[in-house]
Amino acid sequence: MSGEIVETDASGKTTVISKDSGHSLMPLADFPSREMAKMMHTPKTSELTNRLERIAVPTEEVGVPGRLTRNADGRAKYRRLYVTTAPIVEFASAKTAAVRDFYRAKQFGNPEYRRYKFETLQLRVGDALRPLPSCVQETAGTGFVVIAPVQCGKTALADALVRCFPKPFTIVNPPTEALSELHVFPIIRLKYPSNRSLSGLLKALRAAILEVTSDEHTKRSALSEMVEDESGDIAIATCILVNVGGLIIEGATGRKVHYVLTEEVMEFLVKVRDNGIPVTLMCTPAFMHGVKSYGSTYASIFDGVPLYLDPLKTSVQKGLASKESEISAREIPAEDTPSIETTFVKSFWQSGPSTKGKKMPRWLPQFVVDYCYGRRGWIAQCMEQLDIELGSSNGTPVEKWTKAYVEGVMKYRLKAMNPVRKVLGELERTDVISSKAKFLSYVDFLPNEVFELPLQGTWYEMLVTQGDNKNDTFEPPIISGP
């Protein structure tokens, strides 16, 4: 059967719109391109780990007391440190494999796929998306979701995932006669819209594509149909045409949940996923439970490969200290095997311009984790502040550090977060949050299990459905029966 694609007008005249390329079933993955070849290489676990991780400060860039400029240069790199775990590597492996699989499915030598591609090119506002060709159907429906409270590593993970892919590139004179060049966007990373609307997300997607494909001759109205089309179909068609390999949507928080607007965004993301483009949604537990409270229609976005970035465990959660104990008074026994908490803190210690090469106090890792209630972002900030203090001209030597001194340094760094810390402290001591106002104010800092508590689950359900509750305090449920 010929691979030519033709159009027939009303008079019966036929026009070839895509000739047979002669490349039988040639997938986009095999198109001649250095970037494509690099992306389609299946990395070993060690290779993928190296892409994800970031060494903060090269060995030769150790801190020098009083040398503020040199230390500042090293500290800028220190902030880019990223520590991986086995679940993160497994998640990244599945994500990169899904993108490779999608590019293998785009078989330009297949007449069915080429017709789909060229008919998609002619899509206009109001038109329906064309049915997926059989070669892409097998890869459709691949989704990924990262669930974590605020300050638990979602943004750092997004940075790491982007490093696993090449930047957008163009294949000039691809082996298909109908095209002179072919754009490829391996991954597009977007923020969940601050105005919570689908139009906000589509504007960001349009800007990301135009940033690469436009030049001085591009009209300001280019791709305007993407935003005008309320169905999102034009945006999906554009992603298909510029060969988007995957989307990462980060910053989905409970405070952005809206009964109507969120459904529109979720409907679009599900549609993107079901049209073959792997979607990764990064959200807080509050957002996830908010979407699920709407029912199962769009909650299927959470049916993909999950990664839960839970807070690191405090000594209370490990059963090493009582709930009522003061953080500074806790005595933590020595570990036979370094815990993930110790490994995480130690990575920052060994990377600091001033702490590198010095002996870390044995009690420091769990003490920092306890003070930060396991939030990785706060831990990174506190470790940086300790490094700054040590590197100052009048810094206290590590040998003289006490828990009171370290707590004072961390208190200074996290001063703006003190109200949140108080709420997390209450949660650790009592397993509940007594005030609805506090619960709703800091809802995105809360872990997943909080939303399974009857009262607080009700509070949040009222928030996302625009309800109201005048009662601001926790009232224990009345238990009937013997």
Side-chain angles (χ1 to χ4, degrees), residues 223-424:
L223 301 183
S224 60
E225 287 185 329
M226 281 182 59
V227 182
E228 296 168 2
D229 180 27
E230 296 180 357
S231 71
D233 287 353
I234 296 295
I236 295 173
T238 305
C239 288
I240 292 168
L241 295 173
V242 298
N243 299 293
V244 174
L247 291 181
I248 295 177
I249 312 296
E250 59 175 316
T253 63
R255 304 299 295 181
K256 292 180 180 177
V257 172
H258 183 278
Y259 190 73
V260 176
L261 300 178
T262 302
E263 283 197 342
E264 293 175 354
V265 175
M266 291 300 101
E267 180 182 14
F268 172 72
L269 294 180
V270 168
K271 193 184 295 187
V272 171
R273 180 198 66 186
D274 291 347
N275 274 274
I277 301 173
V279 172
T280 301
L281 177 65
M282 294 186 165
C283 67
T284 63
F287 182 89
M288 178 181 69
H289 284 274
V291 172
K292 286 187 174 182
S293 72
Y294 294 158
S296 60
T297 304
Y298 306 120
S300 67
I301 194 73
F302 298 102
D303 292 342
V305 179
L307 176 64
Y308 289 88
L309 294 177
D310 296 321
L312 299 178
K313 290 186 176 181
T314 65
S315 53
V316 170
Q317 293 169 322
K318 290 180 177 181
L320 301 175
S322 67
K323 292 183 177 181
E324 298 77 18
S325 62
E326 293 291 333
I327 293 175
S328 58
R330 296 171 184 172
E331 294 295 333
I332 309 301
E335 298 175 332
D336 295 330
T337 303
S339 63
I340 184 175
E341 290 76 23
T342 296
T343 301
F344 187 80
V345 173
K346 191 175 182 180
S347 296
F348 284 94
W349 182 272
Q350 294 175 336
S351 298
S354 302
T355 55
K356 180 190 287 288
K358 295 180 174 61
K359 186 177 180 180
M360 181 179 68
R362 181 192 65 78
W363 48 266
L364 185 69
Q366 193 63 56
F367 181 60
V368 174
V369 171
D370 282 7
Y371 189 85
C372 297
Y373 294 100
R375 271 57 185 178
R376 292 171 176 82
W378 288 352
I379 293 170
Q381 292 180 54
C382 287
M383 292 304 295
E384 180 185 26
Q385 193 64 40
L386 288 169
D387 188 88
I388 290 172
E389 296 295 331
L390 183 61
S392 64
S393 56
N394 59 346
T396 302
V398 176
E399 301 78 32
K400 296 184 178 181
W401 283 11
T402 63
K403 288 184 178 179
Y405 168 76
V406 172
E407 185 173 14
V409 173
M410 294 191 294
K411 185 177 182 180
Y412 170 79
R413 183 59 182 254
L414 297 182
K415 188 175 183 178
M417 295 293 105
N418 197 45
V420 190
R421 288 191 63 259
K422 287 182 178 180
V423 171
L424 295 178

Side-chain angles (χ1 to χ4, degrees), residues 67 88 151 155-156 175 195 203 220 224 233 263 323 470:
R67 294 283 295 277
I88 289 174
Q151 292 291 336
T155 298
N195 66 0
K203 286 178 182 177
R220 295 181 64 181
S224 60
D233 287 353
E263 283 197 342
K323 292 183 177 181
K470 295 180 180 179

Side-chain angles (χ1 to χ4, degrees), residues 184-196:
V184 180
F185 286 73
I187 205 80
I188 290 182
R189 176 184 179 182
L190 302 172
K191 294 284 188 181
Y192 195 91
S194 58
N195 66 0
R196 305 186 289 184

